[in-house]
Amino acid sequence: MPKLTFPVFGIAIGYPDEKPDLKPRLPLKTVHFENYYQEPDQKLLDDYDQTIHDYYAQRGSNNRSETYRHHILHDMQVSPKKRFQILAVLKKQGFFEN
């Protein structure tokens, strides 16, 4: 990659070989904010945890027993190592140079 570039996200484009079950999503108002941040509604998160748990248990493939918050907590426990790696790449790309 050229200096001072860093990929922010990747996206796959195409058509699946099978018809996957659609994963339930949080309402947009709970994940999208402009110029402010709002604490999430705990009742809404409780309900979504149950919805995701039911979805994972009932879907056609890759069944598991997990809630939304369990998944987020797991990712947060792994991410410090990943963040350290990202910082090294950012420095290599020329960010943080005086």
Side-chain angles (χ1 to χ4, degrees), residues 24-31 44-45 48 68:
R25 301 291 181 189
L26 280 165
L28 187 59
K29 68 180 182 175
T30 63
V31 296
L44 186 137
L45 289 177
Y48 188 64
Y68 169 72

Short mmCIF file of all heavy atoms in Angstrom, two decimals, residues 24-31 44-45 48 68:
data_model
loop_
_atom_site.label_atom_id
_atom_site.label_comp_id
_atom_site.label_asym_id
_atom_site.label_seq_id
_atom_site.Cartn_x
_atom_site.Cartn_y
_atom_site.Cartn_z
N PRO A 24 -31.19 -11.12 12.36
CA PRO A 24 -31.89 -9.95 12.90
C PRO A 24 -30.87 -8.86 13.27
O PRO A 24 -29.77 -9.16 13.72
CB PRO A 24 -32.57 -10.47 14.16
CG PRO A 24 -32.54 -11.95 14.07
CD PRO A 24 -31.39 -12.30 13.20
N ARG A 25 -31.22 -7.63 13.06
CA ARG A 25 -30.34 -6.50 13.35
C ARG A 25 -30.94 -5.60 14.41
O ARG A 25 -32.16 -5.53 14.57
CB ARG A 25 -30.09 -5.68 12.08
CG ARG A 25 -29.47 -6.45 10.94
CD ARG A 25 -28.07 -6.83 11.26
NE ARG A 25 -27.48 -7.57 10.15
CZ ARG A 25 -26.33 -8.17 10.21
NH1 ARG A 25 -25.62 -8.14 11.31
NH2 ARG A 25 -25.86 -8.81 9.17
N LEU A 26 -30.06 -4.90 15.11
CA LEU A 26 -30.53 -3.86 16.03
C LEU A 26 -31.17 -2.74 15.24
O LEU A 26 -30.75 -2.46 14.09
CB LEU A 26 -29.35 -3.30 16.82
CG LEU A 26 -28.87 -4.11 18.01
CD1 LEU A 26 -27.50 -3.63 18.47
CD2 LEU A 26 -29.86 -4.02 19.15
N PRO A 27 -32.14 -2.06 15.79
CA PRO A 27 -32.72 -0.91 15.09
C PRO A 27 -31.63 0.14 14.80
O PRO A 27 -30.72 0.35 15.62
CB PRO A 27 -33.75 -0.36 16.08
CG PRO A 27 -34.07 -1.50 16.99
CD PRO A 27 -32.82 -2.31 17.06
N LEU A 28 -31.72 0.78 13.66
CA LEU A 28 -30.72 1.76 13.24
C LEU A 28 -30.51 2.85 14.30
O LEU A 28 -29.38 3.27 14.54
CB LEU A 28 -31.13 2.39 11.91
CG LEU A 28 -30.11 3.30 11.25
CD1 LEU A 28 -28.81 2.57 10.97
CD2 LEU A 28 -30.67 3.88 9.97
N LYS A 29 -31.56 3.27 14.96
CA LYS A 29 -31.44 4.35 15.95
C LYS A 29 -30.55 3.95 17.13
O LYS A 29 -30.08 4.82 17.87
CB LYS A 29 -32.82 4.79 16.46
CG LYS A 29 -33.51 3.73 17.31
CD LYS A 29 -34.86 4.22 17.79
CE LYS A 29 -35.50 3.15 18.68
NZ LYS A 29 -36.72 3.58 19.27
N THR A 30 -30.29 2.67 17.31
CA THR A 30 -29.43 2.23 18.42
C THR A 30 -27.96 2.13 18.03
O THR A 30 -27.10 1.97 18.90
CB THR A 30 -29.88 0.87 18.97
OG1 THR A 30 -29.76 -0.11 17.95
CG2 THR A 30 -31.29 0.93 19.49
N VAL A 31 -27.64 2.21 16.73
CA VAL A 31 -26.25 2.05 16.30
C VAL A 31 -25.72 3.22 15.47
O VAL A 31 -24.54 3.28 15.17
CB VAL A 31 -26.05 0.74 15.52
CG1 VAL A 31 -26.31 -0.46 16.39
CG2 VAL A 31 -26.93 0.69 14.28
N LEU A 44 -34.12 -2.90 25.38
CA LEU A 44 -33.95 -3.23 23.97
C LEU A 44 -32.80 -4.23 23.80
O LEU A 44 -32.91 -5.19 23.04
CB LEU A 44 -33.67 -1.96 23.17
CG LEU A 44 -33.62 -2.16 21.68
CD1 LEU A 44 -34.38 -1.03 20.98
CD2 LEU A 44 -32.21 -2.20 21.18
N LEU A 45 -31.69 -4.04 24.52
CA LEU A 45 -30.56 -4.97 24.44
C LEU A 45 -30.92 -6.34 25.01
O LEU A 45 -30.50 -7.37 24.45
CB LEU A 45 -29.34 -4.39 25.15
CG LEU A 45 -28.66 -3.22 24.46
CD1 LEU A 45 -27.50 -2.71 25.30
CD2 LEU A 45 -28.18 -3.60 23.07
N TYR A 48 -32.92 -7.98 22.34
CA TYR A 48 -32.07 -8.36 21.19
C TYR A 48 -31.20 -9.56 21.55
O TYR A 48 -30.98 -10.43 20.70
CB TYR A 48 -31.22 -7.17 20.75
CG TYR A 48 -30.48 -7.42 19.47
CD1 TYR A 48 -31.17 -7.64 18.27
CD2 TYR A 48 -29.10 -7.46 19.43
CE1 TYR A 48 -30.50 -7.90 17.09
CE2 TYR A 48 -28.42 -7.70 18.25
CZ TYR A 48 -29.12 -7.92 17.09
OH TYR A 48 -28.44 -8.16 15.92
N TYR A 68 -25.95 -11.56 21.75
CA TYR A 68 -25.26 -10.41 21.17
C TYR A 68 -24.15 -9.92 22.10
O TYR A 68 -23.01 -9.74 21.70
CB TYR A 68 -26.28 -9.30 20.90
CG TYR A 68 -25.68 -7.97 20.55
CD1 TYR A 68 -25.08 -7.76 19.33
CD2 TYR A 68 -25.74 -6.91 21.45
CE1 TYR A 68 -24.53 -6.54 19.01
CE2 TYR A 68 -25.20 -5.68 21.14
CZ TYR A 68 -24.60 -5.49 19.91
OH TYR A 68 -24.06 -4.27 19.60
#
